[in-house]
């Protein structure tokens, strides 16, 4: 934990930066979820950190807001709280993630540990208000109001919590969400506000992911009534997230009157927005189901559907517009695309050569308009890179894989350069061990030539070390030293940029390793 906390403000000026930070977080996540004791300790530590930080943030908000140090302190605390909350969500998701290893008893134990510690299970066991559930509530009703309504609301909250626990349990065990679970979650809407349903869902992102998988995944729900209920639950989570973002924005604004008017306006239109959004999510799920039976479909960027226009656009254009306007539909589409591509039967279908480019184009469209979907798009491109079908011509398969590489190169320009390089390195390592042809020499040269087109100085040291290490891998060396590679001069310029980026490393402890890498690159390619 100390290593992770010391690396929060770690930069890549003198080391691998994001790569080291990512490995520390991955190690911490794996350690904290290895046993129930480490998970309990980690969640309690994060809970205490968030609680103390919120108290300190409250004290800072009462001080003079014009002070530069106070403003920086508030922003730093908010950033730290968001990171700790995200880490807590990731730890819970790791415990609830469906795993194929271990016995059913071991998997159920992990699920029980995670859910028993959550507020879903602990809330009704805390006596926040001693006036509720008293035996003589009739005599106390004159002082505290009617307790029957409070008891009814508590029962609804208990039903909602229990239904969400069942939803997470079913998803973790690989079972489909049934109609009863969805109905029990929506029962709270008939006796209280729908805000709590959405707020509870965004506190447990695994539940939203489970709902999207049941709407868009390969094991999607077939019953229309149940699909509509799941779509409404997802819509409630989206509106709750937007409401929370507006509240955080108004809290940092100047005036409070404007924020109150906006909140009143949004509360009036929230019901209509929820219904419209649930219909859009349901329609997106139905379109994805239709696309599986098609040979190809159109994908257009910067498209808007106007109901006043004559004629009905194709389902590909409709889905493109939904992905552009609604991030939740884009996430669902990527779930559909990933589970479709990872299936063993998809590569052998007759529609694979024409449908695959459309799916990759749609994935690029989602990543262009919604930045948080880019890691999922990278996973999809790597899945398509691993496809192989001898019945399809080599030229066609090579064309699909080149489109995957272009997609990865575009992701590199959007901040995922180190992640893409690491993924390519892992794919080359797997290929060298089992003779896989996922990325042959021609694709390696295509990838390297694309990087030469997008790389511009100044280069970060993390990029130099990651890409320099990739260039020293045997498949890379063989591909670039081949007679088919004609950009040796540009390769020399790239190594010169590497040297320029490492010019200030002599005073650092890691200089020996970096000097050895630069010398190896120069002796190999120059």
């Amino acid at each position: 934990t100390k290593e992770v906390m010391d690396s929060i403000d770690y930069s890549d000026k003198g080391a691998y930066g994001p790569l080291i930070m990512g490995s520390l977080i991955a190690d911490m996540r794996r350690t904290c979820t290895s046993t129930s004791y480490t998970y309990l300790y980690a969640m309690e530590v994060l809970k205490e950190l968030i609680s103390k930080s919120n108290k300190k943030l409250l004290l800072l908000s009462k001080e003079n807001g014009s002070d530069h140090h106070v403003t920086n302190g508030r922003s730093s605390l908010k950033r730290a709280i968001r990171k700790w909350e995200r880490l807590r969500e990731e730890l819970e998701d790791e415990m609830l993630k469906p795993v194929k290893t271990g016995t059913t008893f071991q998997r159920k134990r992990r699920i029980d540990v995670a859910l028993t510690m959550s507020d879903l299970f602990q809330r009704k066991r805390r006596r926040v208000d001693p006036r509720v559930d008293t035996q003589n509530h009739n005599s106390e009703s004159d002082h505290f109001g009617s307790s029957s309504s409070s008891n009814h609301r508590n029962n609804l909250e208990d039903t909602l919590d229990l239904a969400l626990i069942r939803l997470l349990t079913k998803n973790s065990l690989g079972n489909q969400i049934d109609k009863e679970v969805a109905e029990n979650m929506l029962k709270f809407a008939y006796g209280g506000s729908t805000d709590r349903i959405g707020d509870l869902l965004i506190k447990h992102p695994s539940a939203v992911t489970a709902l999207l998988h049941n709407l868009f995944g390969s094991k999607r729900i077939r019953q229309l009534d149940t699909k509509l209920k799941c779509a409404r639950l997802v819509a409630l989570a989206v509106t709750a997230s937007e409401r929370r973002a507006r509240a955080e924005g108004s809290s940092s604004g100047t005036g409070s009157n404007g924020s109150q008017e906006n909140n009143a306006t949004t509360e009036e239109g929230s019901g209509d927005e929820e219904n419209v959004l649930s219909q859009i999510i349901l329609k997106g799920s139905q379109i994805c189901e239709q696309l599986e039976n098609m040979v190809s479909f159109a994908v257009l960027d910067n498209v808007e559907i106007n109901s006043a226009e004559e004629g009905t656009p194709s389902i590909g254009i409709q889905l493109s517009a939904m992905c552009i306007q609604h991030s939740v539909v884009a996430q669902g589409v990527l779930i559909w695309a990933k589970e479709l591509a990872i299936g063993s039967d998809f590569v052998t279908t007759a529609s694979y050569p024409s449908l695959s480019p459309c799916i990759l184009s749609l994935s690029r469209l989602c990543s262009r308009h919604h930045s948080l979907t880019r890691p999922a798009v990278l996973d999809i491109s790597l899945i398509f890179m691993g496809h192989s079908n001898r019945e399809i011509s080599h030229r066609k398969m090579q064309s699909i894989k080149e489109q995957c590489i272009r997609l990865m190169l575009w992701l590199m320009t959007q901040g995922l350069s180190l992640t893409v390089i690491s993924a390519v390195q892992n794919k080359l390592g797997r290929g060298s061990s089992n003779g896989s042809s996922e990325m042959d020499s021609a694709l390696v040269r295509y990838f390297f030539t694309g990087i030469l087109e997008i790389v511009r100085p100044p280069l970060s040291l993390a990029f130099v070390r990651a890409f320099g290490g990739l260039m020293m891998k045997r498949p890379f060396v063989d591909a670039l030293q081949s007679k088919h590679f004609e950009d040796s001069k540009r390769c020399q310029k790239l190594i010169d940029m590497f040297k320029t980026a490492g010019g200030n490393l002599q005073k650092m402890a890691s200089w020996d390793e970096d000097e050895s890498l630069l010398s190896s690159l120069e002796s190999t390619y120059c």
Side-chain angles (χ1 to χ4, degrees):
T1 306
K2 184 179 183 301
E3 292 179 354
V4 175
M5 295 305 301
D6 292 341
S7 303
I8 291 294
D9 296 325
Y10 197 64
S11 66
D12 60 351
K13 294 182 179 180
Y16 289 92
L19 289 179
I20 291 181
M21 185 61 189
S23 62
L24 286 174
I25 292 295
D27 292 340
M28 182 181 181
R29 186 188 300 114
R30 183 169 54 254
T31 302
C32 293
T33 57
S34 59
T35 64
S36 57
Y37 303 104
T38 55
Y39 179 74
L40 171 62
Y41 177 77
M43 297 298 281
E44 288 298 321
V45 169
L46 290 172
K47 181 180 178 181
E48 188 68 17
L49 286 172
I50 295 172
S51 176
K52 289 186 176 181
S53 299
N54 282 324
K55 291 179 181 178
K56 189 174 181 180
L57 184 63
L58 183 62
L59 294 176
L60 288 176
S61 62
K62 297 179 181 179
E63 298 182 8
N64 187 11
S66 60
D67 191 355
H68 178 70
H69 297 287
V70 174
T71 304
N72 290 340
R74 284 201 299 262
S75 60
S76 299
L77 270 179
K78 289 180 180 179
R79 186 165 56 251
I81 291 172
R82 285 195 296 267
K83 289 181 178 180
W84 288 325
E85 289 177 345
R86 177 58 181 166
L87 181 58
R88 184 175 61 180
E89 293 172 357
E90 289 185 357
L91 292 180
E92 181 181 89
D93 183 68
E94 188 73 19
M95 290 289 286
L96 296 175
K97 185 182 299 182
V99 292
K100 297 180 180 179
T101 59
T103 63
T104 304
F105 175 78
Q106 292 173 338
R107 285 182 289 165
K108 285 185 176 181
R109 176 172 173 78
R110 285 175 61 89
I111 298 169
D112 291 341
V113 169
L115 293 177
T116 303
M117 289 185 54
S118 68
D119 290 337
L120 297 174
F121 187 83
Q122 296 294 334
R123 184 196 61 79
K124 58 185 178 182
R125 285 158 179 78
R126 300 193 187 108
R127 293 179 59 83
V128 179
D129 188 357
R131 295 171 295 179
V132 180
D133 292 332
T134 53
Q135 297 294 332
N136 53 349
H137 62 274
N138 292 327
S139 60
E140 296 178 353
S141 60
D142 295 337
H143 301 283
F144 303 111
S146 176
S147 62
S148 59
S149 59
S150 299
N151 290 334
H152 177 65
R153 184 178 180 85
N154 276 351
N155 292 333
L156 291 174
E157 290 179 351
D158 294 344
T159 303
L160 175 61
D161 294 342
L162 182 60
L164 188 53
I165 289 175
R166 291 185 59 189
L167 186 150
L168 292 172
T169 303
K170 283 179 172 290
N171 179 69
S172 299
L173 295 176
N175 299 327
Q176 197 178 75
I177 298 174
D178 54 19
K179 182 179 179 180
E180 182 182 359
V181 173
E183 284 182 345
N184 288 335
M185 292 189 66
L186 289 172
K187 278 182 180 179
F188 189 82
Y190 306 117
S193 173
T194 57
D195 292 351
R196 188 177 188 275
I197 302 177
D199 294 336
L200 199 61
L201 285 171
I202 62 175
K203 285 182 180 179
H204 302 274
S206 302
V208 183
T209 305
L211 291 169
L212 287 175
H213 274 279
N214 280 266
L215 287 171
F216 292 88
S218 58
K219 298 181 180 179
R220 67 180 71 91
I221 300 172
R222 302 298 178 181
Q223 295 81 8
L224 181 60
D225 188 24
T226 308
K227 291 178 69 173
L228 184 58
K229 293 180 185 299
C230 292
R232 187 187 177 192
L233 289 172
V234 175
L236 288 173
V238 173
T239 54
S241 179
E242 293 175 350
R243 183 173 61 252
R244 180 179 179 181
R246 286 194 297 266
E248 291 178 354
S250 62
S251 63
S252 60
T254 55
S256 60
N257 294 331
S259 62
Q260 291 176 357
E261 293 177 359
N262 292 335
N263 290 336
T265 304
T266 54
E267 286 177 1
E268 292 176 357
S270 60
D272 295 335
E273 293 177 1
E274 170 200 324
N275 295 330
V276 171
L277 184 57
S278 61
Q279 293 294 331
I280 291 174
I281 295 171
L282 179 62
K283 186 176 182 180
S285 172
Q286 294 172 340
I287 289 179
C288 289
E289 191 172 355
Q290 296 176 26
L291 291 179
E292 295 181 4
N293 301 320
M294 298 182 64
V295 178
S296 64
F297 58 92
V299 178
L300 293 180
D301 201 351
N302 299 324
V303 60
E304 294 183 0
I305 303 299
N306 188 0
S307 58
E309 295 180 355
E310 296 183 359
T312 303
S314 65
I315 60 175
I317 296 178
Q318 293 181 44
L319 190 61
S320 300
M322 291 179 188
C323 291
I324 293 173
Q325 298 172 7
H326 305 282
S327 60
V328 63
V329 177
Q331 293 178 6
V333 167
L334 293 178
I335 290 174
W336 165 77
K338 183 176 181 179
E339 296 197 5
L340 178 66
I342 208 171
S344 58
D345 299 333
F346 176 63
V347 188
T348 59
T349 58
S351 61
Y352 175 82
S354 56
L355 191 60
S356 297
C358 302
I359 294 176
L360 291 172
S361 299
L362 187 61
S363 301
R364 187 182 188 277
L365 179 69
C366 295
S367 64
R368 183 177 181 271
H369 291 274
H370 308 287
S371 58
L372 295 180
T373 62
R374 288 165 189 168
V377 173
L378 176 59
D379 293 339
I380 292 174
S381 63
L382 293 173
I383 292 173
F384 276 94
M385 285 289 295
H387 287 169
S388 177
N389 187 353
R390 294 183 178 181
E391 296 181 359
I392 302 176
S393 65
H394 175 74
R395 184 176 181 179
K396 184 60 181 178
M397 289 298 299
Q398 203 77 350
S399 174
I400 294 175
K401 293 187 178 183
E402 286 179 357
Q403 185 178 358
C404 295
I405 290 178
R406 291 194 297 272
L407 180 56
M408 289 191 289
L409 291 172
W410 186 85
L411 291 174
M412 290 183 67
T413 64
Q414 303 300 313
L416 293 183
S417 58
L418 299 180
T419 308
V420 170
I421 292 173
S422 177
V424 172
Q425 187 169 347
N426 292 335
K427 189 165 284 290
L428 290 176
R430 289 197 300 268
S432 61
S433 61
N434 56 15
S436 175
S437 59
E438 294 181 2
M439 197 167 184
D440 55 16
S441 297
L443 293 175
V444 170
R445 288 190 292 269
Y446 190 81
F447 176 71
F448 183 77
T449 305
I451 288 183
L452 292 178
E453 294 292 336
I454 63 177
V455 167
R456 296 292 183 273
L459 304 180
S460 67
L461 299 178
F463 177 82
V464 171
R465 288 163 175 166
F467 191 55
L470 178 62
M471 290 176 63
M472 291 306 300
K473 296 296 181 181
R474 175 51 57 185
F476 232 90
V477 174
D478 294 340
L480 298 184
Q481 288 184 343
S482 171
K483 62 181 180 180
H484 300 287
F485 182 68
E486 300 176 354
D487 288 336
S488 56
K489 293 183 178 180
R490 299 178 66 184
C491 184
Q492 172 65 41
K493 292 182 180 179
L494 180 63
I495 295 176
D496 292 338
M497 286 191 286
F498 286 175
K499 292 181 179 179
T500 303
N504 299 323
L505 287 177
Q506 290 84 348
K507 298 181 181 180
M508 304 187 65
S510 60
W511 166 244
D512 293 337
E513 296 179 1
D514 298 317
E515 185 181 23
S516 175
L517 175 61
L518 294 176
S519 300
S520 300
L521 288 170
E522 189 171 14
S523 61
T524 303
Y525 295 102
C526 301

